[in-house]
Amino acid sequence: KPRFVISASEAESQSISKLLPSLVSSAQSLARPSISNFPVAAVRLGTSGRIFMGVNMEFPGLPFHHTIHAEQFLLTNMANNVETRLDSFAVSVAPCGHCPQFLQELRDAPDIQILITSHKNPHFSPLSHFLSHHFGPHDLFPKTVPLLLEPRHNALSLPQNDHFNALAIAGWRPPITLTTRVTQ
C-alpha cells in the first residue's frame, strides 16, 4: 500500500538535505502519469516532524487540465493531516506554470523555498524566483483572512433536533430508483 506520510520518528534518522531528494526519487514510483508517462513527486518535512509526499495523477479519457499536480497533491495531503504551513519542499522537476500560481494561495508564498532535485547542483530557490510578478490573496484580502492550509471557521452548523439531520447521522440514504428507457 502506498504511503504518502512518514512519521516523525522515521524522519529523524537522516539530514533533511539528503533525505528529501532521496524521497523525491522513490516517491516518483507512486505517481500515475498514464497520459504523459512523466512521473513527478514533491516531498516536504512538516512542522510536525512528519514527511508528506505528493505525486502527479493523470486520468485517461479526461482533458489534461484535470491532472492533479504533485504540488497540489502535496498540499492536499498536508491539509488532510492538519499540517498548517509550507515553507519549503523538494520536487523532482521545476514547477510548471500553474503550480507557482497555485502556491500563491499560501501565507508568505513568495518566500517558500523549492529544491529541484533534477538540477545539476540542487539548491533551494524562493517561489518568487519562479513567479516574479505574483498575484494572490495578499493583493485582495486583509492579512486576517485565513488562507489555504490555515484553520478557519465558516460559521456553518447543522440545526439541532432536525429530522433530516438525525437521518443523515444514522447513515440513512434515499432509495435509488433505476429506470430503463427503450428507444426505437
Side-chain angles (χ1 to χ4, degrees):
K1 181 179 173 187
R3 289 180 52 206
F4 293 98
V5 179
I6 296 175
S7 71
S9 60
E10 289 176 275
E12 288 178 349
S13 64
Q14 298 182 39
S15 74
I16 296 306
S17 61
K18 293 180 181 176
L19 178 63
L20 290 184
S22 69
L23 289 173
V24 166
S25 179
S26 61
Q28 284 180 275
S29 67
L30 301 173
R32 297 295 176 255
S34 54
I35 299 171
S36 70
N37 292 316
F38 192 77
V40 180
V43 178
R44 186 249 192 274
L45 174 66
T47 55
S48 64
R50 297 175 294 170
I51 293 176
F52 298 91
M53 297 181 197
V55 296
N56 62 322
M57 299 180 71
E58 300 167 0
F59 306 99
L62 290 177
F64 198 62
H65 68 270
H66 287 280
T67 294
I68 299 171
H69 300 230
E71 295 89 339
Q72 292 171 314
F73 189 127
L74 175 66
L75 287 180
T76 302
N77 190 7
M78 291 172 59
N80 284 339
N81 287 282
V82 196
E83 191 72 30
T84 59
R85 183 154 176 82
L86 176 67
D87 51 15
S88 65
F89 67 96
V91 65
S92 55
V93 294
C96 69
H98 173 79
C99 288
Q101 184 60 50
F102 179 80
L103 292 168
Q104 278 299 123
E105 300 299 315
L106 298 168
R107 180 90 46 214
D108 301 321
D111 300 326
I112 295 170
Q113 297 291 312
I114 302 172
L115 175 74
I116 302 167
T117 62
S118 61
H119 282 179
K120 273 187 173 182
N121 297 310
H123 63 280
F124 282 99
S125 298
L127 178 62
S128 60
H129 174 79
F130 302 96
L131 189 64
S132 56
H133 300 289
H134 50 81
F135 179 83
H138 62 278
D139 296 305
L140 302 171
F141 306 115
K143 289 193 180 284
T144 56
V145 172
L147 301 180
L148 188 61
L149 293 181
E150 297 178 346
R152 69 188 74 232
H153 178 59
N154 294 327
L156 297 175
S157 62
L158 295 173
Q160 299 300 315
N161 301 321
D162 177 67
H163 176 69
F164 292 109
N165 185 27
L167 289 174
I169 291 171
W172 180 85
R173 299 290 180 259
I176 298 173
T177 306
L178 299 176
T179 58
T180 305
R181 184 175 171 185
V182 179
T183 58
Q184 292 180 332

